[in-house]
Amino acid sequence: ATDAAAPAPAAAAASKWNLLTFDTEEDVAVSLAKYTAELSGKFAAERGAFTVVLSGGTLIDTLRKLAEPPYLETVQWSKWHVFWVDERVVPKDHVDSNYKLAVDGLLSKVPIPTDQVYAINDTLSAEGAAADYETVLKQLVKSGVLAMSTATGFPRFDLMLLGMGPDGHLASLFPGHPLLNENQKWVTHIMDSPKPPPQRITFTFPVIKSSAYVAMVVTGPGEASAVKKVLSDDKTLPLLPTEMAILQDGEFTWFTDKPAVSMLQNK
């Protein structure tokens, strides 16, 4: 989507979201690596740090090109600070751990300083781990690593790399769940995730919405009906969580392949 000059407030989703569609998942991976590397360079130059938020699912695999030339050599990995938009409250070596997924698929292959990779404290309860993670974020705001949004008063991550579930959930914010309404905390916990494992921590909507850039990466046919609901003009209630992720002052780009948008009209 190209930016029209000052879209009217009533403009459809196109004004809120850039939709990029590629023929294949491989093409998505190539484009996503280039996009991420360019933002890494931008923020390393502007801020001396690049705060990157990861999610679970297939995203890490789609980021695989970052661990290959030319990015392996050219990205300023020493400037990266890595976070998780949500995490399962399990040990770091557990099969359900988003941390383990990211380490195995990407982080073990690129030279990001280990003390700049912020995993949850897996010795704490879900509630304790969420509070601890929020404390870590507040310290990084104080030290200038993590920006703050002047518009919202919440932390402003440079780039969130997100995925969406078939039910339209993002992070661990699920359809119809009370946590969709949390608007004070930066990080909260969930004890009854409809998708196992049930105990998780998650960034809240105000933090997601305060991001400078969000890449929503959806490939394959599994989420096609959710993509249709989110990206079509049909705004029937209730809104899916991903439909609610309208950035306050940032750029939200969808990276999709043909199967993911197969149910959208005119695509």
Side-chain angles (χ1 to χ4, degrees), residues 77-254:
W77 297 108
S78 64
K79 306 292 190 191
W80 280 47
H81 294 258
V82 177
F83 307 84
W84 278 266
V85 72
D86 68 331
E87 179 59 284
R88 292 81 177 273
V89 182
V90 294
K92 290 189 188 69
D93 58 356
H94 192 282
V95 66
D96 287 329
S97 166
N98 283 338
Y99 170 84
K100 176 178 166 51
L101 181 72
V103 168
D104 291 351
L106 178 67
L107 301 181
S108 61
K109 302 172 184 179
V110 294
I112 300 169
T114 50
D115 63 349
Q116 292 170 202
V117 175
Y118 305 93
I120 71 166
N121 183 337
D122 58 0
T123 67
L124 300 174
S125 68
E127 186 173 13
D132 177 75
Y133 210 66
E134 182 164 321
T135 299
V136 168
L137 300 187
K138 289 188 165 162
Q139 285 301 121
L140 290 167
V141 168
K142 279 187 184 157
S143 65
V145 168
L146 180 55
M148 279 292 277
S149 167
T150 50
T152 68
F154 284 86
R156 182 172 176 81
F157 286 92
D158 297 331
L159 173 62
M160 290 200 182
L161 293 155
L162 305 181
M164 177 177 71
D167 60 353
H169 85 266
L170 78 166
S172 281
L173 299 168
F174 292 94
H177 196 281
L179 281 189
L180 297 180
N181 303 312
E182 173 58 60
N183 61 9
Q184 300 296 317
K185 293 177 178 174
W186 296 7
V187 186
T188 190
H189 70 290
I190 178 169
M191 300 298 286
D192 56 353
S193 164
K195 193 178 161 193
Q199 295 192 23
R200 302 159 172 234
I201 74 158
T202 184
F203 284 4
T204 59
F205 259 130
V207 173
I208 294 170
K209 290 177 172 182
S210 297
S211 306
Y213 292 84
V214 170
M216 175 60 72
V217 184
V218 185
T219 58
E223 288 78 33
S225 70
V227 167
K228 179 186 178 187
K229 165 98 168 77
V230 175
L231 290 177
S232 74
D233 294 333
D234 167 26
K235 290 299 157 222
T236 50
L237 299 174
L239 295 179
L240 297 177
T242 302
E243 286 181 272
M244 298 163 62
I246 307 302
L247 301 187
Q248 302 278 5
D249 175 30
E251 189 175 293
F252 193 120
T253 303
W254 288 74

Side-chain angles (χ1 to χ4, degrees), residues 22-33 61-62 64-65 68 219 256-257:
F22 301 89
D23 286 341
T24 67
E25 188 274 346
E26 173 75 8
D27 296 330
V28 173
V30 169
S31 180
L32 185 64
D61 187 47
T62 314
R64 61 188 178 274
K65 303 286 182 190
E68 300 173 7
T219 58
T256 64
D257 62 2

